[in-house]
């Protein structure tokens, strides 16, 4: 404080022609005391000092945003630049109990949605975005679309602390992954009814790990439910436990050009209602789900020559795939190259073997960054191809 006051006095002397009075040694102490007395007292709910929240025993990872694990608690440190940025959230079952369902297995996707963080003073909201109903923003009807599609608040968080650079906030997100939050749950209502699920037991639900990567953050957590009639062989325990994997990935600010579906071809598709359509009605438009295949040489591609894509489609085999079947699974994946060649691409799709045990890798079958062929130990003979 004394250095600061000395600097202020020096600047004052440099800025005026009159002689400034000499500051006695007692003056800084009185000023400091006065400043402290005038400082506003913290109110209940105000953020705490950063080092009181993110303590020395925190295990931290830096990526899309910082994640801090302190004991049983999980904190996200979200920069202001990511507030209101749209993120794709994908919920998957990482581990499932035996006989839960013939069609829900480890790796099954239970939710896919667009979420966004929103700061309101000392609180941060997690909102679910929707594009089911749309209209061009230049049209008056877009205002009606907006006010008639109010975005739900999935959860609200108190700001626990401000980032050291004052450019972000720290929030405690433990409850998001240890409570029974409908938006990201792994147990749908029909299974709750079937197994007479009463509630989620918070004492037996916990966060297993949190990882941060450049464009995404992943959280693995265990959920345990009280159930009157759980599936065998858990009958008699009154318990259903499952492990969930939540992946949140930053979406590009400029989305890819959509492509309309053609009813003559069996595409996987997504539909939305366009209230600004020239059809003079609430016009349903259907778009195909597609890979972002872009030619490395657009001119050669336009001439009809086979070219490789900028980013090929890569499928990785599940580490639980029996070794003797792996070569044949990869043959099945890469056999699709013939179809892509008809579309002008060569080496468009490839299959990769899973990493060897103990091999250092970021690969995780549940991670949204990887496409995986899952091998399921289940008595139901079935195959599904869910996509994100």
């Amino acid at each position: 404080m004394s250095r600061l006051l000395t600097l202020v006095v020096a600047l004052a002397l440099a800025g005026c022609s009159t002689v400034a009075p000499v500051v006695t040694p007692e003056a800084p102490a009185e000023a400091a005391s006065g400043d402290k007395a005038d400082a506003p007292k913290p109110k209940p709910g105000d953020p705490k000092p950063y080092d009181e929240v993110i303590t020395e025993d925190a295990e931290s990872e830096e990526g899309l945003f910082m994640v801090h694990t302190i004991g049983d608690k999980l904190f996200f440190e979200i920069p202001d630049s990511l507030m209101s940025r749209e993120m794709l959230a994908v919920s998957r079952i990482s581990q499932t109990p035996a006989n839960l369902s013939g069609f829900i297995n480890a790796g099954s996707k239970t939710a896919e949605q667009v979420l966004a963080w929103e700061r309101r003073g000392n609180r941060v909201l997690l909102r679910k975005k929707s594009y089911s109903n749309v209209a061009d923003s230049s049209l008056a009807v877009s205002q009606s679309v907006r006010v008639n599609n109010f975005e739900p608040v999935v959860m609200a968080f108190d700001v626990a602390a401000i980032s050291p650079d004052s450019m972000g906030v720290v929030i405690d997100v433990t409850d998001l992954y240890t409570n029974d939050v409908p938006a990201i749950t792994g147990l749908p209502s029909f299974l709750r009814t079937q197994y007479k699920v009463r509630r989620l037991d918070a004492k037996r639900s916990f966060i297993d790990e949190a990882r941060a990567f450049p464009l995404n953050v992943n959280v693995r957590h265990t959920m345990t439910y009280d159930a009157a009639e759980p599936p065998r062989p858990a009958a008699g325990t009154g318990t259903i436990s499952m492990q969930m994997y939540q992946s949140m990935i930053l979406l590009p600010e400029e989305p890819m050009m959509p492509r309309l579906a053609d009813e003559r071809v069996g595409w996987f598709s997504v539909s939305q209602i366009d209230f600004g359509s020239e059809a003079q009605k609430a016009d349903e438009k259907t778009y195909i789900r597609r890979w972002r295949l872009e030619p490395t040489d657009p001119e050669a591609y336009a001439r009809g020559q086979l070219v490789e894509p900028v980013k090929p489609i890569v499928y990785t085999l599940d580490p639980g795939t029996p070794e003797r079947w792996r070569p044949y699974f990869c043959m099945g994946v890469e056999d699709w190259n013939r179809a892509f060649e008809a579309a002008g691409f060569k080496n468009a799709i490839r299959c990769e073997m899973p990493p060897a045990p103990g091999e250092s890798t970021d690969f995780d079958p549940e991670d949204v960054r990887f496409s995986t062929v899952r091998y399921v130990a289940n008595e139901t003979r079935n195959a599904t191809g869910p996509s994100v």
Side-chain angles (χ1 to χ4, degrees), residues 93-96 102 104-108 315-330 354 363 365-366 371-384 386:
I93 299 176
S94 177
Q95 298 190 59
T96 183
I104 297 179
N105 310 288
S108 292
Y315 273 95
T316 306
L317 298 188
D318 176 10
T321 306
E323 286 83 351
R324 65 172 177 165
W325 298 124
R326 292 181 181 182
Y328 304 103
F329 284 6
C330 276
F363 172 73
E366 282 78 53
S371 296
T372 311
V373 179
R374 301 297 294 256
Y375 190 90
V376 178
N378 190 304
E379 294 180 31
T380 302
R381 295 177 178 87
N382 183 51
T384 60

Side-chain angles (χ1 to χ4, degrees), residues 41-202:
K41 295 181 179 179
K43 300 176 183 178
D46 281 355
K48 296 180 179 179
Y50 184 84
D51 56 4
E52 287 186 17
V53 177
I54 307 303
T55 54
E56 292 182 355
D57 55 346
E59 296 180 8
S60 304
E61 279 198 7
E62 186 173 359
L64 174 62
F65 48 78
M66 292 280 287
V67 298
H68 308 279
T69 304
I70 307 175
D72 295 333
K73 295 286 187 179
L74 177 62
F75 295 86
F76 284 172
E77 185 172 339
I78 306 174
D80 295 338
S81 59
L82 290 181
M83 292 296 171
S84 300
R85 281 293 303 272
E86 294 183 351
M87 300 183 186
L88 175 67
V90 180
S91 303
R92 291 191 185 278
I93 299 176
S94 177
Q95 298 190 59
T96 183
N99 303 308
L100 180 69
S101 169
F103 303 98
I104 297 179
N105 310 288
S108 292
K109 181 180 66 175
T110 60
E112 176 187 335
Q113 55 204 317
V114 177
L115 301 177
W117 302 99
E118 176 185 311
R119 184 176 178 184
R120 297 181 67 86
N122 285 335
R123 290 204 304 167
V124 172
L125 308 181
L126 183 62
R127 284 188 179 273
K128 179 177 179 177
K129 314 278 284 188
S130 174
Y131 289 96
S132 296
N133 300 318
V134 298
D136 190 285
S137 59
S138 64
L139 301 176
V141 71
S142 66
Q143 300 181 45
S144 181
V145 171
R146 177 178 58 82
V147 299
N148 286 287
N149 290 272
F150 193 60
E151 298 160 350
V153 178
V154 175
M155 186 169 277
F157 309 86
D158 292 330
V159 174
I162 305 298
S163 299
D165 61 1
S166 300
M167 299 297 289
V169 296
V170 177
I171 58 174
D172 183 348
V173 296
T174 310
D175 287 348
L176 178 63
Y177 301 107
T178 57
N179 287 351
D180 197 8
V181 179
I184 63 172
T185 186
L187 207 58
S189 57
F190 76 92
L191 289 181
R192 293 172 187 248
T193 301
Q194 179 180 346
Y195 298 124
K196 298 183 178 178
V197 173
R198 290 184 287 262
R199 67 184 182 93
L200 179 79
D201 186 351

Side-chain angles (χ1 to χ4, degrees), residues 23-36:
V23 179
T24 63
E26 290 77 18
E30 293 174 0
S33 175
D35 290 345
K36 188 174 182 180

Side-chain angles (χ1 to χ4, degrees), residues 72 174 177-180 199-208 221-225 240-242:
D72 295 333
T174 310
Y177 301 107
T178 57
N179 287 351
D180 197 8
R199 67 184 182 93
L200 179 79
D201 186 351
K203 293 182 178 180
R204 292 181 289 165
S205 301
F206 47 87
I207 296 169
D208 295 277
H221 59 110
T222 295
M223 307 182 77
T224 299
Y225 298 87
I240 294 177
S241 289
M242 63 197 314

Side-chain angles (χ1 to χ4, degrees), residues 228-297:
E229 297 180 4
R232 61 176 179 84
T237 66
T239 296
I240 294 177
S241 289
M242 63 197 314
Q243 190 179 72
M244 293 296 298
Y245 195 93
Q246 312 289 346
S247 212
M248 183 176 287
I249 184 169
L250 183 67
L251 291 172
E253 291 188 276
E254 184 178 346
M256 184 170 63
M257 175 73 72
R259 180 163 180 169
L260 289 167
D262 189 324
E263 62 183 12
R264 296 171 297 176
V265 182
W267 303 104
F268 288 108
S269 60
V270 59
S271 298
Q272 63 181 192
I273 302 298
D274 185 0
F275 284 89
S277 171
E278 294 293 331
Q280 297 184 356
K281 65 176 183 178
D283 193 12
E284 183 178 43
K285 293 183 177 178
T286 303
Y287 303 96
I288 64 173
R289 297 174 176 233
R290 61 189 177 121
W291 292 85
R292 190 166 197 155
L293 281 183
E294 299 170 314
T296 52
D297 187 341

